[in-house]
Amino acid sequence: MKKIAVLTSGGDAPGMNAAIRAVVRRGIFKQMEVVGIKHGYQGLIDGDYIPLGLGSVGDIIHRGGTILQTARCEGFKTEDGQKQGLRNLREHEIDGLVVIGGDGSFNGALKLTKLGFPAIGIPGTIDNDIACTDYTIGFDTAVNTAIYAIDKIRDTAASHERTYVIEVMGRHAGDIALWSGVAGGAESVLIPETEADMDDIVFRLSQGQKRGKKHSIIIVAEGVSSGSKIGEIIRERTGFETRVTVLGHLQRGGPPSAFDRILGSQMGAKAVDLLIEGQFGVMVGVQNKQMVAVPLEEALSQKHCLQLSLYELAHSLSI
Ligand code: ADP
Ligand code: F6P
């Protein structure tokens, strides 16, 4: 391996820059040349390559987003697009590719591997919805961003004695909702992994009010329903003054937490080491604090498991 490339793809996540920096610095440390591919797989098809030296990844570890930009590229889902990408990689004499992204991006990396090109994945998505890794890059920061917002909403909820429904991200996984719900002391958390029991939510709100509770916070993952629909049901069934806040894309930005910077650094360096060892078609994961290599096919075929014990804890603490 003399020359490797790195790209970011799909939704951006805080800590992706730390991973890019680690790929570049570890690569150079191991006597390799490193290039960046801009705008994910679109840049791979278009040949949008930039050389990355030690200095070009300076001052980025603390920044959210991705210096390589990211994209969703329909063209790469086709065989023609993949073959064009492969031609460009060969023309630039690239020997290996690191893809930082979510499960969609890993499907692209797997296709390249099947076409005979060494590719490796690093899980970067705020949703934490990838199997075979305890954490994905960006999740910790997103949870911290969410609880920062929830704390602020709690202040106004308490002052006005209102019920607040807060919609957080998570199309298929309830991790952001669950973690921020537990950390933010929410009364109820609605996640896609379990069926929403509106009767129970309304009952709990009413019981709380009977005990003198004047304000409440309900967290709903976007994959369950929109916050406004849940807010409407609660308003209708309880008569409580209810407001809805959608946190939206602010959860994707901001400086990465220390955890995400370290995770990104570890995963970036591990990806380079694996390429050098000749392990391709794998994803770097973290399991019980250890960096591991998991075949992409295995990670993609399994469903990410949310920590259900945390859901039970949330339920029992919000009485
Ligand atoms: P994420 O990686 O965050 O899950 P997406 O699902 O949008 O985000 O996927 C990112 C990109 O990965 C897509 O825009 C596309 O370029 C590529 N991709 C997704 N699925 C496939 C596939 N089956 N084959 C090839 N490339 C894919
Ligand atoms: O990064 C994952 C995610 O944040 C999802 O939770 C969300 O539904 C989606 O991306 C939105 O992404 P976009 O608006 O970029 O399509």
Side-chain angles (χ1 to χ4, degrees):
M1 284 263 154
K2 291 202 174 100
K3 195 172 175 185
I4 59 169
V6 56
L7 63 79
T8 48
S9 166
D12 64 344
M16 280 185 165
N17 280 328
I20 295 168
R21 173 180 176 271
V23 169
V24 172
R25 297 243 167 120
R26 182 68 147 210
I28 294 172
F29 180 73
K30 296 276 182 180
Q31 317 295 328
M32 290 190 292
E33 223 181 298
V34 187
V35 300
I37 299 171
K38 305 282 299 277
H39 304 111
Y41 290 117
Q42 192 59 55
L44 193 60
I45 292 178
D46 298 343
D48 197 358
Y49 289 48
I50 51 163
L52 291 173
L54 289 177
S56 51
V57 289
D59 267 345
I60 66 166
I61 196 163
H62 61 297
R63 281 203 243 148
T66 155
I67 60 157
L68 293 175
Q69 275 85 48
T70 183
R72 293 204 163 87
C73 167
E74 283 305 305
F76 199 71
K77 292 183 180 169
T78 67
E79 216 178 299
D80 281 354
Q82 291 151 21
K83 285 191 173 155
Q84 179 58 40
L86 193 59
R87 272 195 294 277
N88 282 335
L89 285 165
R90 303 248 193 254
E91 255 171 43
H92 285 80
E93 298 178 324
I94 311 280
D95 303 311
L97 173 69
V98 179
V99 172
I100 307 169
D103 53 356
S105 307
F106 289 173
N107 271 302
L110 185 60
K111 296 275 168 61
L112 283 173
T113 306
K114 286 190 169 161
L115 287 170
F117 191 85
I120 196 157
I122 293 181
T125 162
I126 63 163
D127 288 348
N128 207 37
D129 59 350
I130 308 272
C132 308
T133 184
D134 296 341
Y135 298 104
T136 60
I137 297 170
F139 169 65
D140 182 69
T141 307
V143 170
N144 279 291
T145 301
I147 59 164
Y148 184 66
I150 293 166
D151 290 350
K152 285 175 185 256
I153 289 167
R154 183 179 285 283
D155 287 345
T156 179
S159 304
H160 283 266
E161 302 186 339
R162 284 172 174 159
T163 298
Y164 265 85
V165 175
I166 304 175
E167 181 190 312
V168 298
M169 277 187 165
R171 272 174 298 185
H172 311 295
D175 292 53
I176 296 178
L178 183 54
W179 284 59
S180 60
V182 172
E187 270 63 35
S188 293
V189 180
L190 284 78
I191 54 173
E193 290 84 352
T194 61
E195 205 167 324
D197 185 347
M198 287 313 296
D199 291 339
D200 181 57
I201 291 167
V202 167
F203 176 74
R204 284 160 158 267
L205 283 172
S206 307
Q207 287 295 104
Q209 201 208 29
K210 278 186 198 144
R211 279 199 339 267
K213 212 178 227 185
K214 303 279 189 216
H215 65 275
S216 299
I217 306 269
I218 314 288
I219 308 289
V220 51
E222 63 178 339
V224 175
S225 172
S226 74
S228 57
K229 275 192 199 140
I230 301 295
E232 197 51 49
I233 297 172
I234 289 174
R235 202 175 290 122
E236 266 174 23
R237 293 186 54 182
T238 62
F240 296 165
E241 194 179 7
T242 306
R243 293 285 187 275
V244 176
T245 302
V246 180
L247 297 189
H249 288 81
L250 74 81
Q251 294 160 96
R252 286 234 295 250
S257 63
F259 182 88
D260 279 328
R261 295 180 200 195
I262 292 166
L263 186 65
S265 301
Q266 288 177 310
M267 287 183 161
K270 180 73 177 180
V272 172
D273 293 350
L274 289 169
L275 278 174
I276 292 169
E277 284 166 22
Q279 284 208 55
F280 319 133
V282 295
M283 170 198 88
V284 179
V286 59
Q287 294 175 2
N288 301 319
K289 297 187 182 147
Q290 299 301 315
M291 288 294 128
V292 294
V294 182
L296 282 170
E297 265 174 328
E298 191 182 324
L300 286 169
S301 64
Q302 289 183 33
K303 208 174 141 33
H304 157 74
C305 288
L306 167 131
Q307 213 178 312
L308 268 180
S309 59
L310 206 53
Y311 184 71
E312 282 146 22
L313 180 69
H315 200 70
S316 69
L317 297 185
S318 62
I319 41 175

